[in-house]
Amino acid sequence: MGLHKLRLAAAVPVTFSSRLFLKPFTNTLTLGLFSRHLQPRNKPLLVRAFSASAAVQDIPATQTSDSSVAARPLWKAAIDFKWIRDNKEAVEINIRNRNSNANLEAVLQLYENMVNLQKEVERLREERNNVAKKMKGKLEPSERERLVEEGKNLKESLVTLEEDLVKLKDELQHVAQSIPNMTHPDVPVGGEDSSAIRQEVGSPREFSFPIKDHLQLGKDLDLIDFDSAAEVSGSKFFYLKNEAVLLEMALLNWTLSQVMKKGYTPLTTPEIVRSSIVEKCGFQPRGDNTQVYSIDGTDQCLIGTAEIPVGGIHMDSILLESALPLKYIAFSHCFRTEAGAAGAATKGLYRVHQFSKAEMFVICQPEDSESFHQELIQIEEDLFTSLGLHFKTLDMATADLGAPAYRKFDIEAWMPGLGRFGEISSASNCTDYQSRRLGIRYRPSEPPQTGPKKGKANLPATKFVHTLNATACAVPRMMVCLLENYQQEDGSVVIPEPLRPFMGGIELIKPKHK
Amino acid sequence: MGLHKLRLAAAVPVTFSSRLFLKPFTNTLTLGLFSRHLQPRNKPLLVRAFSASAAVQDIPATQTSDSSAARPLWKAAIDFKWIRDNKEAVEINIRNRNSNANLEAVLQLYENMVNLQKEVERLREERNNVAKKMKGKLEPSERERLVEEGKNLKESLVTLEEDLVKLKDELQHVAQSIPNMTHPDVPVGGEDSSAIRQEVGSPREFSFPIKDHLQLGKDLDLIDFDSAAEVSGSKFFYLKNEAVLLEMALLNWTLSQVMKKGYTPLTTPEIVRSSIVEKCGFQPRGDNTQVYSIDGTDQCLIGTAEIPVGGIHMDSILLESALPLKYIAFSHCFRTEAGAAGAATKGLYRVHQFSKAEMFVICQPEDSESFHQELIQIEEDLFTSLGLHFKTLDMATADLGAPAYRKFDIEAWMPGLGRFGEISSASNCTDYQSRRLGIRYRPSEPPQTGPKKGKANLPATKFVHTLNATACAVPRMMVCLLENYQQEDGSVVIPEPLRPFMGGIELIKPKHK
């Protein structure tokens, strides 16, 4: 759809700002019109980790230091610059609280420059129109010649300024897209340690025998094969085998049936998407440290979560208010490079390149997003309680939020074999962060409050929807929990009751004897 | 594992054969030692289409005319002696299968390779003799002569050994395009020559105007191609509502049925090293490839679970008692469908991503024919249980991919599309894949011949046979189910075997908003 071509569009030339000599808009012009003069950008913009815990990883500097060659953005977020300008202090504090590398100063500077340049362009257009108007009447030849010359000059200036305006807008987009969503006032300020416990369910099971971790159980019960996968695919890939295959299917089947009862529409999704969709959802598909696998020779990549293709379904559309809320439960395979992930937290099934996941996604009116956030976290808690897990729900602290999230609840479950709590789900309210990028609006059904304006007389103005996403079942981490928590002294593993009807009645995974 | 580096290994220099001046092995040397002198290669080697029907597509010439190919990353254990000793049969087989393999080049290269190997061995012996001579007492002039002779021999040897490596690489490259031999019962000819093995059921007669699956999918809010076109591209789709449950039910039911026959269920990686794709007989590169590659790595997406399952036992020697290994593997499959166009590509019939349950068998050579029968029987039983009207075809020679010794396709009646469409394929690949994947077994009975020195009583290893067969390719099953089970009111009946796997749903009804 033409996207591929644009990707290679001309870079902003280094000598560019020298052309903007016409009018020193502000005293800061000496700093340059473009943000690259304000501060060298050596961190990737708009980085969002798939996993909560990865958000506090030290993000290595990528080689974007040559910031003058930023390609034209393929799409534009409908960022509310006026709001940002009018709420400068709040935005600044938010950026700081969230440990974001967004450059608000540069955004405001570029925005001011853009507004001024836009005014200048409008002024010149008016002047040109005046000249054109004057030329319609009878004129002395010398006067006509003067006007022709003036018109010509104006046109040339205009062409130059309009080009500059386009580039300035592109630059503004590029810099402003790194500004994170605002934060719910109840979210604790600080790093991971500051996250507040919303709820704690159950208690760690006490074992009267030496326990195994899921890797050992997977090997002993012939359920998981990492070794063959390392040869065939690479490390952190795996085959599921025997009852583990049935357990995956049961988990997904049961989860879907439970969540559908709450009015969620089941989906399966494409797992290859255009990279622009990945960006619009707030992920970074490129760069050395990307979590995203790209397809060779195309502008497509593999999804890291079904949130991406589901977010894309209603892209660039105006929904009827009566169609809201839209609630989906989507099953997909997910693919992640896990670049930079290393250490103990990566053992076995805990961190893998490919896995199955059922993801909930809600599109709603702004005033409803908080209550849907509660609904989502409640569904998660109910699911994990039904499976008998010991877990705690965390209201994640500011520094632990990805750029799109206004608020995020993570659930961490007890994994006795690993001897720690591990994240098994994440529920985020993204308010209008994604919808402003994906272009998802709705038209309120009530008549507009203000009097009728000219033009679209009685149609109320469109608004951006809010989007929310939440893990219903990330299979490998659920398997870690189930295998490690339900192991028995004889090496077998008990299947939790809710899953049994979805596994042909199997109650126990027993050691195989050859 | 070092594979990535090798990919960029030096190409064979054009001036290379000029070094091979030492000894004119045969009169054909004037033709050049390397096959590129025999015939320009302008067709991709070793092309295998995932789909049977694609095998008869006209394969466009890719730009591989520069035959200075990179070093192969792996070697197939091709039985060159057997090929040489069965030259006529191989030649006829290549012709029957409409293959572009160049047997003449293979035999020529093989002969050159054997001769060069002999020459290398001769020089090694000579060098050893010289070294031996130098151990005794010698006149200084004689010693000097021997030193000089040894030096010359060493230099020649280095050169010849390098040449031998390159010659072996070239031989591999050319020989890998030779297709598997063909079962004697397979009809010779193109698609029209395929023989019907069995026909089940009859086309349902409708008393009302019928819809195709696309229309049904839209009316029942089951399939969304439009959003997928925006988000991903054409030929991608979302399943929605009951279609999601139907997919799960199909896979669940299929797995449970096939597991009853002793097949071990698997899920597999869907990203694999491209060498594994090649070893299974698919071509992961080139303009016309069906394979999606991952940017910046030597990995690609699987087009079928046959690939990762074939890879499980790669480079291993299995115990005879471990055979047969029977797997039923569920995976998503990804295909570029490059070059596929036209009516056969409508709706769910040909898509870039789909779910599939695939059977895979590893067995002793003498058992592969009976397992082929078992596989086709399982397929027929599954599709009969779902009430489909279908026919099983013994595919003709020109319709076989390179790995298949014999292939049975099942084509089912799709009333909305108004034609039969392929829904499964069962291939016996004999030792074609195992010679590439390096899967052997050690027979348990003692060797027939007397004890040799070395590994005294261990019987020699043999290559296993591999077979693969579709148990359930979801989108094509959906085409069949939606189109065959549609009702006059626009609803679709769920076949009975699937209902327990769909929470008891019996009917997909139109939604009312």
Side-chain angles (χ1 to χ4, degrees):
Chain A
M1 301 248 158
L3 293 180
H4 191 57
K5 258 186 212 155
L6 273 173
R7 196 181 184 182
L8 300 170
V12 179
V14 176
T15 55
F16 166 46
S17 58
S18 61
R19 272 214 252 135
L20 299 168
F21 60 90
L22 279 178
K23 198 179 175 182
F25 303 110
T26 72
N27 285 335
T28 59
L29 187 67
T30 49
L31 283 172
L33 207 58
F34 291 82
S35 66
R36 64 173 173 280
H37 301 294
L38 286 170
Q39 152 173 339
R41 241 194 285 88
N42 59 3
K43 283 189 174 187
L45 299 171
L46 192 77
V47 164
R48 175 179 173 204
F50 284 111
S51 156
S53 52
V56 287
Q57 281 177 6
D58 201 29
I59 299 162
T62 55
Q63 298 317 307
T64 53
S65 54
D66 180 12
S67 59
S68 62
V69 290
R72 285 212 59 190
L74 298 173
W75 53 274
K76 288 198 176 170
I79 295 169
D80 191 343
F81 291 109
K82 255 185 224 137
W83 189 92
I84 290 173
R85 189 189 56 193
D86 297 345
N87 295 272
K88 189 180 155 177
E89 286 74 23
V91 173
E92 186 64 54
I93 290 167
N94 186 55
I95 287 172
R96 202 167 41 230
N97 285 346
R98 296 174 66 128
N99 211 5
S100 159
N101 51 21
N103 188 343
L104 179 61
E105 201 190 337
V107 171
L108 293 175
Q109 183 63 61
L110 285 164
Y111 179 60
E112 193 182 339
N113 292 348
M114 195 273 286
V115 168
N116 288 334
L117 187 53
Q118 193 137 31
K119 278 183 195 154
E120 178 66 9
V121 164
E122 274 153 27
R123 193 185 62 75
L124 286 185
R125 275 187 198 143
E126 210 182 306
E127 246 180 71
R128 190 193 52 185
N129 290 347
N130 286 339
V131 168
K133 224 179 277 172
K134 277 184 202 160
M135 285 175 68
K136 279 183 184 160
K138 261 190 181 168
L139 289 170
E140 295 287 316
S142 69
E143 175 65 3
R144 176 171 296 276
E145 203 171 307
R146 199 189 58 76
L147 284 174
V148 165
E149 186 63 20
E150 195 182 337
K152 203 178 135 199
N153 287 341
L154 282 168
K155 198 180 161 190
E156 274 170 14
S157 301
L158 208 46
V159 165
T160 305
L161 283 193
E162 278 166 347
E163 273 175 25
D164 291 348
L165 186 59
V166 166
K167 286 171 187 163
L168 195 47
K169 282 181 175 170
D170 289 351
E171 177 77 1
L172 177 58
Q173 263 293 318
H174 190 63
V175 178
Q177 280 183 14
S178 65
I179 295 179
N181 201 344
M182 295 303 287
T183 308
H184 190 288
D186 293 351
V187 170
V189 173
E192 197 172 5
D193 296 340
S194 311
S195 297
I197 295 182
R198 174 193 136 105
Q199 205 193 339
E200 186 155 354
V201 171
S203 55
R205 180 181 158 199
E206 291 190 17
F207 291 91
S208 58
F209 54 90
I211 58 169
K212 304 174 181 175
D213 66 13
H214 70 278
L215 264 174
Q216 194 59 48
L217 288 161
K219 211 168 258 183
D220 293 350
L221 295 169
D222 200 14
L223 298 177
I224 314 169
D225 183 352
F226 277 100
D227 295 340
S228 299
E231 295 297 319
V232 169
S233 303
S235 64
K236 293 186 199 165
F237 285 97
F238 62 96
Y239 296 81
L240 292 183
K241 225 172 145 180
N242 294 310
E243 291 92 341
V245 176
L246 309 183
L247 183 57
E248 163 161 333
M249 289 200 153
L251 275 166
L252 293 168
N253 256 319
W254 172 73
T255 302
L256 254 69
S257 71
Q258 293 300 106
V259 179
M260 282 167 62
K261 283 181 195 157
K262 309 279 181 186
Y264 287 70
T265 301
L267 289 177
T268 66
T269 78
E271 289 155 15
I272 293 176
V273 300
R274 302 181 202 278
S275 47
S276 57
I277 316 288
V278 176
E279 287 172 6
K280 288 176 185 181
C281 288
F283 300 94
Q284 177 55 264
R286 277 171 279 264
D288 284 352
N289 207 42
T290 181
Q291 288 297 315
V292 180
Y293 284 106
S294 288
I295 304 289
D296 198 20
T298 75
D299 193 33
Q300 294 167 313
C301 44
L302 296 178
I303 61 168
T305 164
E307 172 191 345
I308 296 165
V310 179
I313 291 180
H314 299 284
M315 180 172 64
D316 297 328
S317 65
I318 297 171
L319 303 165
L320 290 175
E321 188 185 298
S322 60
L324 298 179
L326 287 162
K327 307 200 290 183
Y328 294 111
I329 170 80
F331 164 62
S332 79
H333 290 180
C334 305
F335 302 88
R336 302 181 182 182
T337 67
E338 295 299 348
T346 67
K347 204 174 171 187
L349 288 175
Y350 193 81
R351 200 174 288 284
V352 287
H353 289 305
Q354 174 196 325
F355 60 97
S356 297
K357 182 161 67 70
E359 178 84 6
M360 299 179 279
F361 195 90
V362 173
I363 296 176
C364 65
Q365 298 180 60
E367 52 271 34
D368 297 335
S369 67
E370 281 216 44
S371 64
F372 279 116
H373 202 193
Q374 294 301 321
E375 176 174 309
L376 289 168
I377 188 69
Q378 190 63 53
I379 292 174
E380 290 181 344
E381 288 172 347
D382 289 350
L383 288 170
F384 304 142
T385 303
S386 298
L387 292 178
L389 302 185
H390 166 46
F391 63 87
K392 50 188 184 186
T393 311
L394 301 168
D395 194 347
M396 300 307 285
T398 48
D400 236 14
L401 301 176
Y406 175 70
R407 189 178 199 178
K408 184 169 77 155
F409 294 113
D410 275 10
I411 292 183
E412 297 185 351
W414 179 244
M415 301 176 172
L418 297 181
R420 61 177 180 85
F421 282 91
E423 180 193 334
I424 58 168
S425 78
S426 189
S428 298
N429 181 359
C430 297
T431 64
D432 63 357
Y433 183 94
Q434 291 180 328
S435 62
R436 285 181 176 274
R437 285 158 170 77
L438 290 161
I440 313 177
R441 298 158 191 264
Y442 75 104
R443 199 177 293 284
S445 49
E446 73 269 27
Q449 306 291 13
T450 56
K453 278 187 179 178
K454 56 188 174 180
K456 299 170 190 170
N458 281 320
L459 273 181
T462 60
K463 288 183 183 175
F464 286 102
V465 299
H466 280 193
T467 63
L468 304 96
N469 63 79
T471 323
C473 178
V475 170
R477 294 206 181 168
M478 292 308 286
M479 286 216 178
V480 173
C481 288
L482 297 182
L483 292 178
E484 295 189 354
N485 279 294
Y486 285 105
Q487 60 182 299
Q488 307 299 306
E489 191 159 10
D490 64 359
S492 64
V493 171
V494 172
I495 302 295
E497 279 195 41
L499 300 179
R500 293 179 194 171
F502 296 87
M503 278 182 80
I506 295 177
E507 294 176 16
L508 196 67
I509 305 178
K510 281 174 273 192
K512 280 131 208 96
H513 298 287
K514 292 245 167 183
Chain B
M1 305 253 158
L3 293 180
H4 190 57
K5 260 186 211 156
L6 273 173
R7 197 179 181 181
L8 301 168
V12 179
V14 176
T15 54
F16 165 47
S17 57
S18 61
R19 273 214 250 137
L20 300 167
F21 58 90
L22 279 176
K23 199 178 174 184
F25 303 111
T26 71
N27 285 334
T28 60
L29 186 67
T30 49
L31 283 172
L33 208 56
F34 291 83
S35 66
R36 65 173 175 278
H37 301 291
L38 287 170
Q39 151 174 339
R41 241 194 282 89
N42 59 2
K43 284 188 171 186
L45 299 172
L46 192 75
V47 165
R48 175 179 172 200
F50 285 112
S51 155
S53 52
V56 287
Q57 281 177 3
D58 202 28
I59 299 159
T62 55
Q63 299 316 307
T64 54
S65 54
D66 178 13
S67 63
S68 57
R71 284 212 62 190
L73 298 173
W74 53 275
K75 290 200 175 169
I78 295 169
D79 191 343
F80 291 108
K81 258 187 222 134
W82 189 91
I83 291 174
R84 189 189 58 193
D85 297 345
N86 295 273
K87 190 180 156 178
E88 287 74 24
V90 174
E91 188 63 57
I92 291 168
N93 185 55
I94 287 172
R95 202 162 43 218
N96 285 347
R97 296 175 67 131
N98 211 6
S99 160
N100 52 21
N102 188 341
L103 179 61
E104 200 189 339
V106 171
L107 294 175
Q108 183 65 63
L109 284 165
Y110 179 60
E111 192 181 341
N112 292 347
M113 195 273 286
V114 168
N115 288 333
L116 187 52
Q117 194 136 34
K118 278 183 197 154
E119 178 66 9
V120 165
E121 275 154 26
R122 192 185 62 76
L123 286 183
R124 273 185 199 145
E125 211 183 307
E126 245 178 72
R127 190 192 53 182
N128 291 345
N129 287 340
V130 168
K132 224 179 280 173
K133 276 184 203 160
M134 284 175 71
K135 278 182 185 161
K137 260 188 181 171
L138 289 171
E139 296 286 314
S141 67
E142 175 64 5
R143 176 169 296 274
E144 201 172 311
R145 200 188 59 76
L146 284 175
V147 166
E148 185 63 20
E149 195 182 335
K151 203 178 137 200
N152 287 342
L153 281 168
K154 197 180 164 190
E155 275 169 16
S156 302
L157 208 46
V158 165
T159 307
L160 282 193
E161 277 166 347
E162 273 175 24
D163 292 347
L164 186 59
V165 165
K166 286 169 186 164
L167 194 49
K168 281 180 176 171
D169 288 352
E170 176 78 1
L171 176 58
Q172 262 294 316
H173 191 63
V174 178
Q176 280 184 14
S177 65
I178 296 179
N180 201 345
M181 295 303 287
T182 309
H183 189 287
D185 293 352
V186 170
V188 173
E191 198 170 7
D192 297 340
S193 311
S194 297
I196 295 182
R197 175 193 136 106
Q198 204 192 339
E199 187 155 354
V200 171
S202 56
R204 178 180 160 200
E205 291 192 17
F206 292 90
S207 57
F208 54 90
I210 57 169
K211 303 173 182 175
D212 66 13
H213 70 279
L214 265 175
Q215 194 60 48
L216 289 161
K218 213 169 255 182
D219 295 350
L220 295 169
D221 200 14
L222 298 177
I223 313 170
D224 183 352
F225 276 100
D226 296 341
S227 299
E230 294 297 319
V231 169
S232 303
S234 64
K235 293 187 199 164
F236 285 96
F237 62 96
Y238 296 81
L239 292 183
K240 225 174 145 179
N241 294 311
E242 291 92 339
V244 175
L245 308 183
L246 183 55
E247 164 162 331
M248 288 199 154
L250 275 167
L251 293 168
N252 256 319
W253 173 72
T254 302
L255 254 67
S256 71
Q257 293 300 107
V258 179
M259 282 166 62
K260 282 180 197 159
K261 308 279 180 186
Y263 287 69
T264 302
L266 289 178
T267 67
T268 78
E270 288 155 16
I271 295 177
V272 299
R273 302 181 201 278
S274 47
S275 57
I276 316 287
V277 176
E278 288 173 4
K279 289 177 186 180
C280 288
F282 300 94
Q283 178 54 266
R285 276 170 279 263
D287 284 352
N288 207 43
T289 181
Q290 288 296 315
V291 180
Y292 286 106
S293 287
I294 304 291
D295 198 20
T297 74
D298 192 35
Q299 294 167 312
C300 45
L301 295 177
I302 62 169
T304 164
E306 172 192 344
I307 296 165
V309 179
I312 292 181
H313 299 284
M314 180 172 65
D315 298 328
S316 65
I317 297 170
L318 303 165
L319 290 175
E320 188 186 299
S321 59
L323 299 180
L325 287 161
K326 307 201 290 184
Y327 294 110
I328 170 80
F330 164 62
S331 80
H332 290 180
C333 304
F334 301 88
R335 302 181 182 183
T336 68
E337 295 299 348
T345 69
K346 204 174 170 187
L348 289 176
Y349 193 80
R350 200 173 288 283
V351 287
H352 289 305
Q353 174 196 324
F354 60 97
S355 297
K356 181 160 67 70
E358 178 84 8
M359 299 178 279
F360 195 90
V361 173
I362 297 177
C363 66
Q364 298 180 58
E366 53 270 35
D367 297 335
S368 68
E369 281 217 44
S370 65
F371 280 116
H372 202 195
Q373 293 301 321
E374 175 175 307
L375 289 168
I376 189 68
Q377 190 63 51
I378 291 174
E379 290 181 344
E380 288 172 347
D381 289 350
L382 288 170
F383 305 142
T384 303
S385 299
L386 292 177
L388 302 184
H389 166 46
F390 64 87
K391 50 189 183 186
T392 311
L393 301 169
D394 194 347
M395 301 307 284
T397 49
D399 236 14
L400 301 177
Y405 175 70
R406 188 178 200 178
K407 183 170 77 156
F408 294 113
D409 275 9
I410 292 183
E411 297 185 352
W413 179 243
M414 301 176 172
L417 297 180
R419 60 177 180 83
F420 283 90
E422 181 194 334
I423 56 168
S424 78
S425 190
S427 298
N428 181 359
C429 297
T430 63
D431 63 357
Y432 184 94
Q433 291 180 326
S434 62
R435 284 180 176 274
R436 285 158 170 76
L437 290 162
I439 313 177
R440 300 160 189 260
Y441 74 104
R442 198 177 295 283
S444 50
E445 72 269 27
Q448 306 292 11
T449 54
K452 276 187 180 179
K453 58 189 170 180
K455 300 170 189 170
N457 282 320
L458 275 180
T461 61
K462 288 183 183 176
F463 286 102
V464 299
H465 279 195
T466 65
L467 304 95
N468 62 80
T470 324
C472 178
V474 170
R476 295 208 180 165
M477 292 308 287
M478 285 216 178
V479 174
C480 288
L481 297 181
L482 293 177
E483 295 189 353
N484 279 295
Y485 285 105
Q486 62 182 299
Q487 308 297 306
E488 190 158 12
D489 64 0
S491 64
V492 171
V493 171
I494 302 295
E496 279 196 41
L498 300 179
R499 293 178 193 171
F501 296 86
M502 278 183 78
I505 296 175
E506 295 178 13
L507 196 69
I508 304 177
K509 280 174 272 194
K511 279 127 207 100
H512 298 288
K513 291 243 168 181

